[in-house]
Amino acid sequence: MMEADFILAGVGGQGIILAGDILAGVGLQAGSDVKKSEVHGMAQRGGVVTSHVRWGRRVRSPLAEPGRVGFLVGFEALEAARAASYLRPGGLAVVNRYRLPPPAVTAGEAVYPADDQVAAAIQSRGAALEWVPAQEEALRLGNPAVAGVYLLGWLSGAGVLGQAVAEETWVDVLEGLVPPAHRDLNRLAFRQARAARTA
Amino acid sequence: MSDASKVLLSGNEAVALGAFEAGVRVAAAYPGTPSTEILENLAAYPGVDCEWSSNEKVALDVAIGAAYAGRRALAVMKHVGLNVAADSLFYAAYTGLGGGGLVVAVADDPGMHSSQNEQDTRQYARFARVPLLEPADSAEARGYVEEAFRLGERFDTPVLLRLTTRIAHSRGPVRVEDPSPLGGRGRPAVRDPRPVPDPHHRSAREALAALANDPGKYVMIPGNARGRHPVVENRLARIAEWAETCSLNRVESGGGSLGVVSAGVAYQYAREVLDDASFLKLGVVWPLATGLLRAFAAGVDRLLVVEELDPFLEEALSLMGLKVEGKRYFPLAGELDPATVRRGAAQAGLLTSEGEPEAVPGLPPRPPVLCPGCGHRPVFYALRRLGAVVFGDIGCYTLGALPPLSALHTCGCMGAGLGNLQGALKALAGEEEGEMEGTRGRPVAVIGDSTFFHAGLPALANLAYNQGGGLVVILDNRTTAMTGHQDHPGTGRTLAGEPGPALDAASVARSLGVEQVTTLDPYDLEGFVAVARGYMTSGRPAVIVARHRCVLQARERRPAVTAVAEACNGCGVCLRLGCPPLVREGSVVRVEAALCTGCGVCAAVCPRSALLAEGAIPS
Ligand SMILES: Cc1ncc(C[n+]2csc(CCOP(=O)(O)OP(=O)(O)O)c2C)c(N)n1
């Protein structure tokens, strides 16, 4: 049993809901009580998507609280910065090195934050940041859609999580949740990422 | 230690499982976030006849009919759907259901993640004199369905089951028996489970025969309804008595002198933040177990209600003469979350404020947008060019209101735009014709195809009947896109996946008496503008069915549009489409090919032929 709060943040269509389901499933498998929450609807038209996943002895609220979350999984740099206020001191952000400019930026009316601004947003919370080449590696594997699972693989090897939950627990849950046709690719992305993180 | 008998279900999946286990035979709904997945999931279980109804009132009438015929029936809708279905809830409250069971699952959306208001369904329970149960997690959501049917059948009443977004769309563990009726991801294993036996002994035929012999109960003419009203009031009093000992209400004794009354997800937040208070956790939110509440209040020094939206419980407790606090500390508007409850508790002096982290300032927003290639986009671009004042409606197309399109000017509730158009036309009719040049300033209405069959039909009949001279654009993307692509009467497919007759919006408009009707593909921007201009100035009712299949569903892709940098002068006309692949880069516009579906609408608006569609690049 492990206690931990996670926030997954990114853009509609990036596979955040599936990644959240995997994370929730792993918590349950590892013996924790689990809750998970996200918003559906308008958010899926290119808007912001955040998913809250909580593991604990007894989880009450399905929503985590700003300033109290241990792990931020950023699917996209800007959205990782936006969600940074959730992190607690000593927390960890694993962030996909990937930018999806929002409409105001593509129209030339606003500026996308630089990497060091994203880093500052996270570090000012007293949390650590790890940039993850998830998009790049997913493309190399032949399908950008596995970037989310790559991020989870990376996360699974990080810090206390790496010791608390066995790799096979993750792989088990993952295989149960992704469609059979994509199982091999997802497993590969996961294992590669975990190996890259723990190397 | 893992527990193989537990699965993680969303509140909606849990309600579907609960409905299957309760032996529900008929279920009807109109989609609406956050309620939609209940029927999508239930439809995959065997033995339950599920339908997408054309609107919520029809759904509730269908469910009532099945309950009248002695079955267990479920109607599902979002909070505003109950406004549409309210008339039916009130008659069912008067007639009761005889031997059948009727549960109405209604999902509220505090915080308006996907809604036009945040009305509180608990008020309908008080208003219609029906009981309301409110679960606080997925496990309760599953179990409360059976409880609701038992309660309703015992007292011959419909029962409201209230969910909120954070219950409906949160996952939590639910214990399932072996063998589980569920397959992977909480979805039912389609072939495996047997239909649950119908808990009712009577056949539908017997139930209907009994109904036909009881006009005093089912024919709500004044003489009969007068007799039913006292029955309803008396019934509510008896249910309140039952609630006193009902196990769905529970006291959790804490160490301190503080007592908290709460229900639903608000209970979870309060329980997390105020962990040593005593709690009265209500499952039966209406009618209230007043004796239980009084006893609980007597045992604590300070009584607090933590509830989302209206001060529903707080007011009821005040009316009982109890000294209670609530909305002084917790907001009336918006959804609660642990941080908000912590803030309120600090204000109430119950804990010390720790200060909250500030949001990172200056980040560009990321609003939702119409998808690349969406057929709604050229319609809004054209209406803006025509200078129309656009009475809108609800669906993906409401995004036409956002800049840079900014071409949808009202959005109230489903079906409203058509009536609004007619009223505006009447108001304009008093003014000098000469003041209106061309199409500029003239009102039109837009409505989605699913919305048209939901609430547009009576309004269009009215427009034709009363000879309102305006243009109605039916945005026909062949699906209910906004809520996740559900079928509707125009798609030719039922929820069960079976083929049905596809109602054609154009034929419907004609048969309602509209003479000017054109169906076209809005990718043909100039064609649309020409027809719309003629119709807007014709002075007679007109309908354009702008038909292009939802790109998310069709996954249609042509070669990406090519940007010719040398020809582009950076005028930005194309950027007024607000299409995601069009990116300003320095002094020119570039096309992000991976996002582009090649619809070519941008090429049609570019005044310098700097955007070329369908690979038509000059050699
Ligand atoms: C009374 C009511 N029921 C349901 C909803 C949820 N809802 C909003 S718009 C909509 C339908 C959208 O479909 P359509 O009109 O075809 O437009 P599209 O999203 O496909 O563009 C639904 C189900 C609502 N807002 N109000």
Side-chain angles (χ1 to χ4, degrees):
Chain A
M1 200 283 300
M2 181 174 170
E3 302 222 347
D5 285 350
F6 305 83
I7 294 281
L8 291 74
V11 178
Q14 282 195 289
I16 292 160
I17 291 174
L18 172 64
D21 283 347
I22 294 169
L23 204 41
V26 168
L28 190 71
Q29 190 95 332
S32 297
D33 187 21
V34 170
K35 276 189 183 152
K36 180 212 173 206
S37 183
E38 75 256 323
V39 169
H40 303 211
M42 277 290 206
Q44 283 162 333
R45 302 287 172 268
V48 179
V49 177
T50 39
S51 178
H52 298 224
V53 179
R54 311 191 68 200
W55 299 354
R57 206 173 49 76
R58 178 88 163 88
V59 178
R60 305 282 186 180
S61 162
L63 292 174
E65 226 175 310
R68 290 167 183 260
V69 169
F71 300 93
L72 166 62
V73 187
F75 283 61
E76 195 270 349
L78 169 60
E79 296 317 321
R82 208 189 305 280
S85 55
Y86 275 100
L87 281 165
R88 64 167 164 73
L92 170 68
V94 297
V95 181
N96 190 3
R97 201 177 264 292
Y98 181 56
R99 300 167 152 223
L100 269 170
V105 172
T106 54
E109 291 155 10
V111 184
Y112 196 98
D115 282 359
D116 54 359
Q117 280 173 280
V118 175
I122 287 159
Q123 284 150 359
S124 72
R125 296 289 320 136
L129 165 65
E130 295 178 13
W131 287 106
V132 183
Q135 205 70 20
E136 191 187 320
E137 293 299 329
L139 277 175
R140 202 197 307 278
L141 287 165
N143 190 345
V146 298
V149 163
Y150 193 93
L151 278 171
L152 288 185
W154 188 281
L155 174 77
S156 78
V160 281
L161 265 183
Q163 285 114 53
V165 185
E167 178 162 0
E168 290 322 302
T169 305
W170 289 86
V171 172
D172 258 15
V173 173
L174 174 80
E175 290 186 347
L177 288 174
V178 300
H182 299 144
R183 233 169 246 166
D184 290 346
L185 187 65
N186 277 283
R187 192 190 314 109
L188 185 65
F190 182 89
R191 289 208 198 274
Q192 273 190 15
R194 184 169 166 117
R197 172 60 182 78
T198 43
Chain B
M1 177 198 62
S2 82
D3 190 341
S5 63
K6 278 185 186 167
V7 291
L8 290 171
L9 297 188
S10 73
N12 284 345
E13 289 166 351
V15 170
L17 174 62
F20 167 70
E21 290 171 333
V24 165
R25 278 293 169 275
V26 176
Y30 181 73
T33 314
S35 72
T36 312
E37 300 82 4
I38 294 177
L39 231 64
E40 287 179 331
N41 279 279
L42 188 54
Y45 288 98
V48 196
D49 184 327
C50 291
E51 72 165 44
W52 288 131
S53 306
S54 51
N55 70 32
E56 292 87 350
K57 177 183 161 42
V58 176
L60 184 47
D61 290 331
V62 167
I64 291 168
Y68 277 172
R71 293 288 171 263
R72 283 190 164 178
L74 178 73
V76 182
M77 58 202 67
K78 70 182 290 176
H79 60 327
V80 287
L82 190 52
N83 297 335
V84 177
D87 239 4
S88 300
L89 179 66
F90 279 74
Y91 81 72
Y94 266 44
T95 66
L97 291 314
L102 173 67
V103 171
V104 187
V106 183
D108 288 7
D109 189 18
M112 294 175 278
H113 299 284
S114 221
S115 303
Q116 70 266 35
N117 73 28
E118 53 184 357
Q119 68 189 43
D120 189 329
T121 291
R122 296 177 299 172
Q123 303 286 12
Y124 267 112
R126 182 155 57 186
F127 196 8
R129 279 45 165 187
V130 296
L132 180 144
L133 307 187
E134 184 169 4
D137 59 27
S138 295
E140 287 188 356
R142 181 253 204 122
Y144 277 28
V145 179
E146 171 67 29
E147 299 286 351
F149 276 111
R150 276 198 210 154
L151 164 62
E153 286 155 7
R154 173 159 171 193
F155 291 97
D156 190 20
T157 177
V159 178
L160 289 170
L161 181 71
R162 182 201 190 212
L163 310 171
T164 57
T165 298
R166 298 301 180 180
I167 297 297
H169 282 176
S170 293
R171 280 180 193 279
V174 172
R175 193 173 292 280
V176 286
E177 293 67 34
D178 197 31
S180 162
L182 297 171
R185 268 198 119 169
R187 307 275 148 72
V190 181
R191 245 182 298 278
D192 207 12
R194 297 271 157 71
V196 171
D198 191 324
H200 300 279
H201 306 301
R202 268 191 316 182
S203 71
R205 197 178 305 173
E206 282 172 299
L208 287 174
L211 170 131
N213 276 323
D214 203 353
K217 187 164 182 286
Y218 294 104
V219 184
M220 287 301 95
I221 50 175
N224 294 341
R226 270 180 218 121
R228 290 298 298 172
H229 188 184
V231 172
V232 170
E233 300 295 345
N234 178 270
R235 179 180 73 202
L236 199 65
R238 287 189 297 126
I239 299 173
E241 248 167 66
W242 163 88
E244 296 290 351
T245 53
C246 171
S247 63
L248 304 188
N249 297 325
R250 66 168 187 263
V251 173
E252 296 167 357
S253 302
S257 56
L258 173 69
V260 178
V261 178
S262 194
V265 78
Y267 156 79
Q268 304 288 8
Y269 303 146
R271 195 76 180 68
E272 179 157 321
V273 172
L274 299 164
D275 55 355
D276 53 343
S278 292
F279 276 80
L280 174 48
K281 192 274 190 195
L282 295 176
V284 187
V285 166
W286 193 257
L288 287 173
T290 51
L292 182 66
L293 281 158
R294 274 185 213 289
F296 180 74
V300 297
D301 297 337
R302 192 174 176 189
L303 188 63
L304 193 67
V305 172
V306 181
E307 58 190 324
E308 230 164 16
L309 302 180
D310 294 353
F312 181 83
L313 298 173
E314 184 182 351
E315 283 176 3
L317 267 56
S318 294
L319 276 176
M320 287 166 56
L322 296 174
K323 194 165 164 293
V324 58
E325 301 166 288
K327 290 297 169 183
R328 247 181 97 188
Y329 307 117
F330 305 103
L332 267 169
E335 71 171 342
L336 298 182
D337 57 29
T340 314
V341 172
R342 196 178 297 282
R343 209 174 303 138
Q347 262 177 43
L350 296 167
L351 34 90
T352 49
S353 167
E354 300 166 38
E356 293 171 41
E358 278 171 30
V360 180
L363 298 176
R366 190 188 298 277
V369 284
L370 291 174
C371 304
C374 176
H376 298 337
R377 180 178 283 105
V379 171
F380 288 114
Y381 185 88
L383 290 175
R384 172 137 187 191
R385 211 164 93 188
L386 290 164
V389 175
V390 181
F391 287 104
D393 212 301
I394 311 185
C396 280
Y397 52 97
T398 311
L399 294 171
L402 301 182
L405 287 166
S406 307
L408 180 138
H409 305 114
T410 67
C411 163
C413 71
M414 291 185 75
L418 272 61
N420 293 162
L421 168 67
Q422 184 150 1
L425 288 166
K426 283 175 188 278
L428 276 171
E431 295 183 3
E432 297 280 314
E433 217 2 74
E435 285 174 16
M436 203 74 127
E437 52 168 286
T439 56
R440 201 141 294 278
R442 281 189 201 269
V444 304
V446 298
I447 185 166
D449 50 343
S450 182
T451 306
F452 178 66
F453 292 113
H454 174 286
L457 295 177
L460 189 63
N462 188 60
L463 196 78
Y465 166 53
N466 287 303
Q467 288 299 298
L471 167 62
V472 173
V473 182
I474 299 173
L475 296 159
D476 186 5
N477 58 0
R478 322 294 303 136
T479 187
T480 316
M482 156 111 217
T483 42
H485 302 107
Q486 292 76 27
D487 283 293
H488 63 64
T491 67
R493 247 171 63 104
T494 67
L495 173 55
E498 273 148 28
L503 290 193
D504 171 46
S507 314
V508 170
R510 275 191 208 98
S511 57
L512 289 176
V514 181
E515 286 165 8
Q516 311 182 99
V517 180
T518 300
T519 299
L520 48 73
D521 184 335
Y523 278 14
D524 174 12
L525 188 71
E526 293 310 324
F528 179 88
V529 168
V531 177
R533 177 173 285 132
Y535 282 174
M536 283 172 75
T537 50
S538 72
R540 288 184 301 127
V543 166
I544 296 178
V545 179
R547 175 174 291 182
H548 196 99
R549 194 147 177 244
C550 170
V551 282
L552 273 185
Q553 208 177 26
R555 307 226 165 250
E556 158 191 53
R557 240 168 207 267
R558 309 172 190 190
V561 166
T562 315
V564 184
E566 307 79 62
C568 178
N569 69 348
C571 70
V573 169
C574 61
L575 295 176
R576 286 183 218 152
L577 286 166
C579 195
L582 297 171
V583 180
R584 186 188 279 286
E585 209 164 70
S587 62
V588 295
V589 170
R590 168 176 79 76
V591 176
E592 180 75 48
L595 299 178
C596 179
T597 65
C599 74
V601 172
C602 60
V605 307
C606 176
R608 297 178 59 92
S609 306
L611 293 165
L612 304 176
E614 230 139 351
I617 310 162
S619 50

